[in-house]
Amino acid sequence: MNSTGDVVVSGMGVVSPIGVGIDSFWQNLLDGVSGIRVRESFAETDMPLRIGAPIADFDPKPFVKPRKALKIMCQPIQFGCAAANLAFEDAGFEKQSLESVVSPDRIGTLFGTETFFADPAEVARVFRSCTEDDNYQHDRWGEFAMRQIQPLWMLKYLPNMAASHISIAIDARGPSNSICQGEASGLLALIEAADLIKRGVVDVVIAGGTGSQMALTAMLYRGIGDLSRRINEPEKASRPFDAERDGMVIGEGSGVVVLESAEHAAKRGATPVARLAGWSRGFSDPNRVERNEAFVASIKAVLADSGMTPDQIGLVSANAHGSIEGDASEAQAIQSVLGDVPVVAHKSNFGNLGPGTSVVELIGSLMALKHRKIPPTLNYENPDPDCPVNVSNEVRSMDKSAMLKTGCSGTGQMVSVVFEGM
């Protein structure tokens, strides 16, 4: 970091398949709860999309004001708004008296998102109107789409709308940005947020990520090649680092942290959870074999940036999601740089949440840092010689005050952050 002044986490919010709010989320991590289950609408299929980690019975109304805004929010945007609301409250901010604590011009909003996938049911009528004798007639689209699609339909799915709605809700008038880089997006947004604070542009930033891998159109676009085939044992399907892993499980959710300058947090009497000690960003061509080298470079870079040595790291929150090659590359990199450090892989609880996944996982490990407890990694039953890491598969104490989080997207973005407890 080339600027001065510490950046701290003063609030956290999470909407996940294993809990809404940090208390229930943390307790379910400690209890080894899995959010992966059979999806009712796909229960009769034998394809990998039969299982996933949905957020059941989610009600956005308590978190979104005005409620009429829900009409132009798809569900991942609702998740993001809810998680931001929870994080803002956790940080001790009250909207009614916010201006007495921080100027709206010095509050930013940074979010990791994606172009959210539409519900086919919303455009089914148009497609039926454009179909004759079972053949789709593209030249009819202009005529029927303008009349039959809700006028503000597109606003429900644009990637910048999560940050936009959050900024409007709390009257944040500082920089607002949305980063669309797959699973690494949330951590990349967090880094950009921290950089804004360190450059003196803002005092407070709401940073996070939100997404869903569950939409039918998303699955049609991405395919099922990376998914686990263990569809008759949903809770056992996500097996990071385990020798019997066979792919990832899809999920949905959002994680948000409130970052602020340590000076600003002290002035308002906040009690920070952790200090952001360093970060690194990079890229590795996913079609080439050097991913191990890229993980090594990312971890070494974040240690150098934070000024820490490997023996100061008490926990690694891994990106691992059950990929045979990807988990092995990451595990070997962790071992080669950090040695026998405890490692946890939270995707074993809730799968891959898309752009929301890295910050949700980060929050799990920030809670571990706060309570000095490492939650278990589920389904780590058969150690793999190709994954030579110290996976934590039961609750154990954490005896050091720093943790490292890795992140990686399918398109090659690499990111690592180090946080130190306070």
Side-chain angles (χ1 to χ4, degrees):
M1 299 180 186
N2 55 16
S3 302
T4 59
D6 285 339
V7 175
V8 298
V9 175
S10 57
M12 299 178 287
V14 64
V15 174
S16 82
I18 62 167
V20 175
I22 55 173
D23 291 337
S24 62
F25 173 71
W26 172 240
Q27 189 59 54
N28 285 331
L29 279 181
L30 289 177
D31 292 343
V33 173
S34 174
I36 300 170
R37 65 201 71 174
V38 173
R39 303 168 65 191
E40 286 186 20
S41 53
F42 297 97
E44 301 306 315
T45 183
D46 59 357
M47 299 179 70
L49 50 79
R50 181 174 186 265
I51 62 172
I55 298 174
D57 303 320
F58 175 71
D59 181 8
K61 297 185 189 69
F63 308 106
V64 177
K65 303 289 190 300
R67 289 186 180 178
K68 64 181 181 181
L70 289 170
K71 295 179 180 179
I72 50 173
M73 291 183 187
C74 64
Q75 208 167 39
I77 294 175
Q78 296 174 13
F79 297 156
C81 290
N85 186 296
L86 291 165
F88 212 57
E89 290 181 359
D90 187 53
F93 288 112
E94 296 182 7
K95 295 174 186 176
Q96 293 81 359
S97 57
L98 186 60
E99 283 199 53
S100 65
V101 179
V102 58
S103 166
D105 294 330
R106 295 188 62 80
I107 305 175
T109 312
L110 272 292
F111 246 71
T113 64
E114 61 184 338
T115 299
F116 301 112
F117 288 82
D119 182 351
E122 294 183 334
V123 291
R125 181 185 173 197
V126 182
F127 279 101
R128 282 195 292 267
S129 298
C130 295
T131 301
E132 183 176 340
D133 297 328
D134 295 329
N135 292 312
Y136 173 69
Q137 308 293 324
H138 184 69
D139 58 355
R140 294 187 177 188
W141 179 262
E143 176 186 355
F144 290 101
M146 296 303 101
R147 292 188 315 203
Q148 296 178 358
I149 291 181
Q150 179 190 3
L152 300 179
W153 171 79
M154 184 175 289
L155 296 181
K156 294 177 68 174
Y157 299 102
L158 294 177
N160 64 305
M161 293 307 289
S164 298
H165 282 294
I166 293 163
S167 297
I168 292 168
I170 64 171
D171 194 26
R173 304 174 199 169
S176 176
N177 199 6
S178 302
I179 296 177
C180 302
Q181 299 290 345
E183 295 93 328
S185 300
L187 287 184
L188 290 171
L190 181 148
I191 290 171
E192 184 171 329
D195 196 47
L196 286 173
I197 293 171
K198 293 185 77 67
R199 288 190 282 117
V201 178
V202 293
D203 298 314
V204 177
V205 186
I206 298 165
T210 189
S212 175
Q213 307 282 75
M214 307 284 286
L216 177 60
T217 43
M219 291 183 288
L220 291 172
Y221 175 71
R222 295 187 176 115
I224 60 175
D226 294 334
L227 302 184
S228 171
R229 267 57 178 175
R230 198 184 288 261
I231 61 174
N232 294 317
E233 297 179 288
E235 299 86 357
K236 296 284 189 180
S238 187
R239 311 178 69 84
F241 299 125
D242 186 79
E244 295 186 6
R245 67 191 184 279
D246 70 337
M248 70 176 180
V249 176
I250 53 176
E252 59 188 0
S254 176
V256 176
V257 296
V258 175
L259 297 181
E260 60 184 306
S261 69
E263 180 182 7
H264 187 271
K267 282 183 179 179
R268 68 180 187 88
T271 304
V273 177
R275 176 182 74 90
L276 176 56
W279 64 71
S280 68
R281 292 169 287 192
F283 177 80
S284 170
D285 186 341
N287 297 313
R288 301 178 67 180
V289 297
E290 299 104 0
R291 179 133 308 192
N292 172 274
E293 297 174 10
F295 271 118
V296 168
S298 180
I299 295 170
K300 286 184 175 179
V302 76
L303 289 176
D305 193 54
S306 64
M308 290 194 176
T309 57
D311 63 323
Q312 291 178 277
I313 304 299
L315 174 65
V316 173
S317 175
N319 176 75
H321 57 61
S323 161
I324 294 174
E325 294 83 6
D327 286 16
S329 293
E330 183 177 12
Q332 292 161 23
I334 292 169
Q335 174 61 228
S336 68
V337 181
L338 299 172
D340 206 32
V341 61
V343 175
V344 67
H346 293 311
K347 289 187 182 74
S348 64
N349 296 83
F350 44 71
N352 185 343
L353 313 182
T357 197
S358 59
V359 180
V360 173
E361 292 166 10
L362 172 67
I363 289 172
S365 292
L366 288 174
M367 291 297 286
L369 201 58
K370 178 179 179 180
H371 296 286
R372 294 293 194 270
K373 284 184 180 180
I374 301 173
T377 295
L378 303 188
N379 304 321
Y380 184 72
E381 300 167 345
N382 308 287
D384 183 353
D386 289 334
C387 297
V389 282
N390 179 14
V391 178
S392 177
N393 61 2
E394 60 183 10
V395 178
R396 58 169 126 167
S397 61
M398 183 175 175
D399 58 3
K400 296 178 183 177
S401 61
M403 58 79 55
L404 187 152
K405 172 81 186 93
T406 61
C408 177
S409 69
T411 47
Q413 289 73 22
M414 309 285 291
V415 57
S416 295
V417 293
V418 167
F419 281 86
E420 186 175 24
M422 302 186 71

